[in-house]
């Protein structure tokens, strides 16, 4: 089977939006401010975005609050063509630990991470359907350490489950990750050196 170019899939959607002249709504799952910075810069000219901060994998309440507040600070300072709003997800570490129970010794990028991706994408899709967004997406594909193909497959599966359109992506393409580092410096964003969960911090 031919490998899908998820970056090209994003471009196709954007081109169709340009032709239509409309500005669809997008619920964007945001993992942190640095990853979100480039994605918001790239997508905000074409979508009315709501940033959804839902990351029950984050190990402590303080870390969760810091990452959430950094995202809000960036959005408040970023001059977007279309307004960007924020929805605070509930901090539910118990949900995460229950989902990955028995996988505590799995290596990074293994089965535990797949469950974590699904948990966050499913919650995003569920909310996107409830609030009648046109699309949902995630910033997770920006990281060169994360499997964009797996994330997109999960996104498409939950999109089908909740009957909501998923915006495929591979945001690290077009120097997206490099641009996120530049924006992080420009806005003095907190750049964490682990994904957030206690297991990645341990490893």
């Amino acid at each position: 089977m031919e490998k899908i170019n998820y970056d090209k899939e994003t471009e196709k959607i954007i081109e169709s939006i340009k032709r239509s002249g409309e500005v669809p709504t997008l619920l964007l799952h945001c993992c942190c401010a640095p990853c979100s910075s480039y994605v918001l810069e790239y997508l905000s000219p074409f979508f009315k975005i709501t940033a959804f901060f839902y990351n029950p994998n984050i190990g402590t309440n303080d870390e969760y609050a810091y990452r959430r507040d950094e995202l809000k600070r960036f959005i408040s300072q970023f001059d977007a063509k279309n307004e960007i709003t924020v929805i605070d997800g509930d901090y539910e570490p118990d949900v995460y630990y229950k989902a990955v129970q028995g996988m505590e010794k799995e290596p990074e990028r293994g089965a535990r991470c797949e469950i974590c991706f699904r948990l966050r994408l499913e919650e995003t899709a569920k909310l996107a359907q409830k609030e009648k967004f046109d699309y949902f997406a995630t910033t997770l594909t920006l990281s060169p350490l994360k499997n964009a193909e797996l994330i997109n497959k999960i996104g498409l599966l939950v999109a089908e489950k909740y009957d909501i359109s998923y915006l495929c992506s591979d945001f690290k393409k077009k120097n997206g990750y490099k641009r996120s580092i530049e924006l992080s410096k420009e806005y003095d964003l907190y750049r964490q050196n682990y994904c957030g969960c206690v297991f990645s911090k341990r490893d």
Side-chain angles (χ1 to χ4, degrees):
M1 186 181 291
E2 188 179 348
K3 197 171 182 180
I4 298 171
N5 185 324
Y6 292 105
D7 179 54
K8 292 286 186 189
E9 294 301 306
T10 312
E11 288 181 353
K12 286 178 190 174
I13 296 294
I14 288 173
E15 286 305 316
S16 70
I17 289 168
K18 286 178 181 176
R19 289 194 296 271
S20 74
E22 296 178 358
V23 183
T25 55
L26 171 68
L27 184 64
L28 178 67
H29 165 260
C30 294
C31 56
C32 63
C35 289
S36 303
S37 62
Y38 166 72
V39 178
L40 290 169
E41 180 183 65
Y42 176 42
L43 296 180
S44 60
F46 314 109
F47 296 90
K48 184 177 179 183
I49 299 174
T50 297
F52 181 42
F53 190 80
Y54 177 74
N55 299 288
N57 58 305
I58 295 176
T60 67
N61 188 65
D62 285 349
E63 182 74 14
Y64 188 91
Y66 194 15
R67 295 190 189 200
R68 178 200 62 209
D69 293 347
E70 279 289 88
L71 175 66
K72 288 182 174 181
R73 180 173 69 82
F74 171 75
I75 289 171
S76 71
Q77 295 174 357
F78 180 65
D79 185 20
K81 180 180 177 182
N82 295 301
E83 181 188 9
I84 302 169
T85 55
V86 181
I87 293 178
D88 285 350
D90 293 330
Y91 180 45
E92 302 175 318
D94 291 348
V95 171
Y96 169 72
Y97 288 121
K98 184 178 179 181
V100 300
Q101 191 171 9
M103 297 188 176
E104 294 84 358
K105 293 182 180 179
E106 280 282 319
E108 279 293 285
R109 305 194 211 181
R112 187 182 62 242
C113 293
E114 182 173 348
I115 289 171
C116 183
F117 298 153
R118 172 105 192 194
L119 189 64
R120 291 185 278 174
L121 280 162
E122 184 145 9
E123 191 68 16
T124 308
K126 200 186 301 181
L127 181 61
Q129 182 206 52
K130 180 184 174 186
E131 299 298 329
K132 296 182 168 52
F133 280 83
D134 296 312
Y135 294 89
F136 78 100
T138 179
T139 60
L140 288 167
T141 65
L142 181 100
S143 171
L145 299 176
K146 291 184 171 61
N147 184 334
E149 185 173 4
L150 174 62
I151 291 164
N152 281 295
K153 283 180 178 177
I154 294 168
L156 290 167
L157 282 170
V158 296
E160 187 175 356
K161 180 177 177 179
Y162 291 98
D163 193 25
I164 179 84
S165 295
Y166 171 68
L167 183 69
C168 290
S169 67
D170 193 350
F171 292 124
K172 66 179 140 309
K173 297 294 180 68
K174 301 192 190 74
N175 289 316
Y177 181 68
K178 181 184 175 186
R179 178 60 181 152
S180 76
I181 294 171
E182 294 169 354
L183 286 165
S184 295
K185 289 178 181 174
E186 184 180 337
Y187 288 87
D188 192 26
L189 298 176
Y190 164 58
R191 288 187 66 85
Q192 61 284 345
N193 59 5
Y194 68 107
C195 85
C197 75
V198 295
F199 311 111
S200 65
K201 190 172 186 180
R202 173 197 69 195
D203 297 340

